[in-house]
Amino acid sequence: QSALTQPRSVSGSPGQSVTISCSGTSSDVGGYNYVSWYQHHPGKAPKLMIYDVTKRPSGVPDRFSGSKSGNTASLTISGLQAEDEADYYCCSYADSSTMFGGGTKLTVL
Amino acid sequence: QVQLVQSGSELKKPGASVKVSCKASGYTLTTYAINWVRQAPGQGLEWMGWINTNTGNPTYAQDFTGRFVFSLDTSVRTTYLEISSLKTEDTAVYYCARAGAGFLQSDYWGQGTLVSVSS
């Protein structure tokens, strides 16, 4: 299995919106509504931000939203804040296994 | 509150073995599967596989068959990752994570365990 494809980096200014894409295939992203997104600050444990493509766990701000179209999932962060600067990973279920994207470094300018 | 607490950092020589533990609290261990995830230096997250905490049955990702073993001891609410015949390229931070969001989606993570392999 190959990793899902994410842009290596994205950036935005405080208050702006950014979208991170996650491209897969019909065997993973396109075949299941079980895409999750994780925020990872270096040296800390990853944090679940979105699951089941669009659902937010309790405590995650509604500035974070997820969507999917075909074989591509997306994470949108609106109203960027300095603390959003981190690495973001998508993850998709695929037939009794799961796989991560390569990760995207978000820089808040 | 839900917590996964992992064992501390390890420094090992090539060819040795290491066993990382992941102790669950705040919920019943057997309710959710446990994922194991690796992050090598400068690299992204990599799913290693999962263990069914009801049956103890492990499932390994393609790149983690042979030298990697998941196990659990429900009496102490702990799952384990054992790596044998360590190689320098096994140097990484290893995370356990509760698959509590369904379909192997991880809602709670351990703090990570750094395993360093060097001669």
Side-chain angles (χ1 to χ4, degrees):
Chain A
Q1 287 173 320
S2 300
L4 306 174
T5 301
Q6 298 181 231
R8 294 202 69 167
S9 64
V10 297
S11 62
S13 299
Q16 288 186 331
S17 294
V18 294
T19 296
I20 300 171
S21 60
C22 171
S23 295
T25 70
S26 59
S27 297
D28 39 70
V29 174
Y32 302 91
N33 288 321
Y34 303 123
V35 175
S36 49
W37 289 90
Y38 301 89
Q39 178 189 67
H40 192 201
H41 289 105
K44 295 195 169 184
K47 178 183 178 182
L48 177 66
M49 306 303 284
I50 296 287
Y51 68 102
D52 290 355
V53 179
T54 61
K55 297 177 182 176
R56 271 189 316 275
S58 174
V60 172
D62 60 7
R63 302 186 295 104
F64 292 83
S65 62
S67 62
K68 189 183 84 166
S69 177
N71 297 335
T72 299
S74 298
L75 172 71
T76 298
I77 309 170
S78 58
L80 270 178
Q81 299 182 2
E83 58 262 36
D84 298 334
E85 184 162 297
D87 297 320
Y88 290 84
Y89 294 88
C90 64
C91 188
S92 177
Y93 180 82
D95 191 21
S96 298
S97 69
T98 191
M99 64 177 70
F100 286 99
T104 298
K105 181 175 180 57
L106 169 63
T107 301
V108 180
L109 301 170
Chain B
Q1 72 282 21
V2 173
Q3 279 193 303
L4 296 173
V5 178
Q6 298 183 225
S7 48
S9 298
E10 301 268 9
L11 175 60
K12 296 290 184 180
K13 293 191 182 301
S17 296
V18 69
K19 195 168 187 176
V20 176
S21 67
C22 170
K23 188 176 180 74
S25 62
Y27 77 102
T28 301
L29 176 64
T30 53
T31 303
Y32 302 104
I34 291 288
N35 285 312
W36 286 93
V37 176
R38 181 174 81 176
Q39 186 175 38
Q43 303 299 309
L45 302 178
E46 190 175 14
W47 183 72
M48 301 174 65
W50 64 286
I51 185 165
N52 183 319
T53 53
N54 266 310
T55 65
N57 184 50
T59 298
Y60 302 99
Q62 201 168 350
D63 291 343
F64 296 95
T65 57
R67 299 187 298 114
F68 300 84
V69 176
F70 308 145
S71 61
L72 81 162
D73 184 343
T74 54
S75 68
V76 290
R77 305 191 310 276
T78 301
T79 56
Y80 303 93
L81 162 66
E82 185 166 17
I83 311 171
S84 58
S85 302
L86 281 163
K87 305 176 181 180
T88 55
E89 52 262 43
D90 293 324
T91 294
V93 176
Y94 293 84
Y95 294 98
C96 62
R98 188 182 87 163
F103 291 90
L104 301 179
Q105 298 169 107
S106 298
D107 58 350
Y108 287 90
W109 294 65
Q111 82 274 22
T113 296
L114 173 62
V115 174
S116 300
V117 185
S118 173
S119 54

